[in-house]
Amino acid sequence: MISIAVAGKGGAGKTTFSALTIRYLLESGFKPLLAIDADPNSNLNEALGVTYSTTIGEIAEKLKEVPEEMSKEMWLSIQGEEALVESEGFDLLVMGRPEGPGCYCAANNLLRNYIDRLSRAYKALVIDNEAGMEHLNRRLTRDIDTLFLIAEPTPKGITTAERLLNLARHLDLSIGRYLLIINKVTDEEEVEFILKGKDLPLLGFLPLDENIPEFERKLRPLLEFPVDSSYWKKLKELLNFAFSKEMERK
Ligand SMILES: Nc1ncnc2c1ncn2[C@@H]1O[C@H](COP(=O)(O)OP(=O)(O)OP(=O)(O)O)[C@@H](O)[C@H]1O
Ligand SMILES: [Mg+2]
């Protein structure tokens, strides 16, 4: 089992990275895979080319109305089926909007148990998060092996990444390792200069690739992204390195 969470500042490229990492894992045989869209302004489904009808947030709302005599666990596993979008090699669960800040409140524990149990049936788990880090504290999912932090290739982007990393390390999160990726890179030397002297868990750079916004404009799913594109080639290289042990074990 590989479990991955993707975090970073708004617009840094989390959803793009999540969608293409899902494709990489599927192509590497990590099937079935569970994708979780944990951003309230969800759009991972578009990148994956699937549609959804309900969210975990909506189910949590209805959970309040479940009659006393009915087991909430039972009810949740039936409703949960409805929220689970099934596609080729992967399923998608959309979290939607929580009730309060960082909280699906009364339903938190029930939902956590449900998602925990559900994710055990998969070979890989990929969670696309909302911008920031604080919400990771909801801990709606089991332990995460790798948290990818996606950053913009500017001094400000990299400072933000440093801040997010420190924040994450102070929250009581159960994360195996943090890996930083600088995205939309056009000048590697310039980025190396910004990174100089900083102690960051850098995995590598991903290039600015015009195919990505082009796909977005045409509403084409990233699962059909051209294999000769610079982003895809570099992503594969970085992930092969990051998951070399898991690939060997297969
Ligand atoms: N390597 C890249 N090259 C070119 N454009 C990119 C690249 N990565 C992402 N983009 C573009 O940047 C924008 C933001 O990307 P994406 O939606 O993946 O970011 P996000 O971090 O998920 O954003 P949000 O915080 O809004 O969820 C999109 O328009 C996307 O097409
Ligand atoms: Mg996103």
Side-chain angles (χ1 to χ4, degrees):
M1 167 90 181
I2 287 185
S3 57
I4 294 173
V6 183
K9 198 175 155 237
K14 300 178 291 296
T15 301
T16 304
F17 178 84
S18 300
L20 287 168
T21 295
I22 288 169
R23 171 165 161 188
Y24 166 86
L25 292 171
L26 292 174
E27 287 184 4
S28 307
F30 288 91
K31 292 185 225 182
L33 175 151
L34 178 63
I36 297 186
D37 187 346
D39 185 345
N41 301 307
S42 346
N43 65 345
L44 180 64
N45 68 298
E46 282 167 14
L48 296 173
V50 297
T51 52
Y52 64 92
S53 54
T54 186
T55 66
I56 290 293
E58 280 164 6
I59 290 174
E61 272 298 306
K62 284 194 261 167
L63 199 58
K64 292 179 199 150
E65 294 150 27
V66 177
E68 286 275 319
E69 59 278 10
M70 197 171 192
S71 144
K72 284 199 162 58
E73 279 85 3
M74 178 77 87
W75 184 87
L76 193 57
S77 67
I78 297 167
Q79 292 292 312
E81 282 282 310
E82 233 170 87
L84 199 65
V85 181
E86 289 175 20
S87 191
E88 245 178 84
F90 71 92
D91 293 345
L92 170 72
L93 204 57
V94 179
M95 296 307 293
R97 215 158 276 285
E99 273 176 78
C103 171
Y104 295 82
C105 299
N108 250 359
N109 266 333
L110 273 169
L111 288 173
R112 179 160 48 227
N113 289 341
Y114 168 69
I115 296 172
D116 250 19
R117 247 182 295 120
L118 180 75
S119 62
R120 287 208 182 101
Y122 296 87
K123 291 252 168 60
L125 173 69
V126 177
I127 309 173
D128 178 17
N129 287 287
E130 74 177 289
M133 215 43 113
E134 297 82 350
H135 59 278
L136 285 179
N137 214 10
R138 274 180 213 149
R139 300 192 61 181
L140 271 170
T141 44
R142 63 202 248 154
D143 306 349
I144 296 296
D145 305 327
T146 308
L147 183 125
F148 285 102
L149 186 61
I150 315 296
E152 303 257 8
T154 59
K156 196 166 169 227
I158 289 163
T159 310
T160 307
E162 267 183 308
R163 192 177 54 77
L164 289 176
L165 263 172
N166 285 333
L167 190 62
R169 287 180 173 141
H170 279 98
L171 295 171
D172 178 29
L173 302 176
S174 167
I175 288 170
R177 60 173 174 174
Y178 294 88
L179 293 177
L180 173 67
I181 288 188
I182 315 288
N183 187 27
K184 308 186 192 180
V185 173
T186 49
D187 184 341
E188 298 205 355
E189 265 178 41
E190 195 183 298
V191 183
E192 266 154 22
F193 182 76
I194 306 170
L195 289 169
K196 221 178 210 158
K198 293 189 192 296
D199 183 22
L200 289 164
L202 180 72
L203 175 65
F205 302 156
L206 283 171
L208 185 83
D209 187 332
E210 282 313 318
N211 288 313
I212 296 171
E214 180 67 13
F215 257 61
E216 212 172 47
R217 269 193 295 276
K218 291 185 176 154
L219 290 174
R220 282 184 70 185
L222 286 170
L223 296 183
E224 294 164 11
F225 204 60
V227 290
D228 58 354
S229 66
S230 58
Y231 185 96
W232 175 246
K233 282 198 243 169
K234 191 67 194 289
L235 179 77
K236 272 178 82 166
E237 200 183 291
L238 295 183
L239 295 178
N240 277 337
F241 181 72
F243 296 110
S244 53
K245 274 200 217 113
E246 289 80 355
M247 294 295 157
E248 251 171 50
R249 249 183 259 138
K250 286 206 74 229

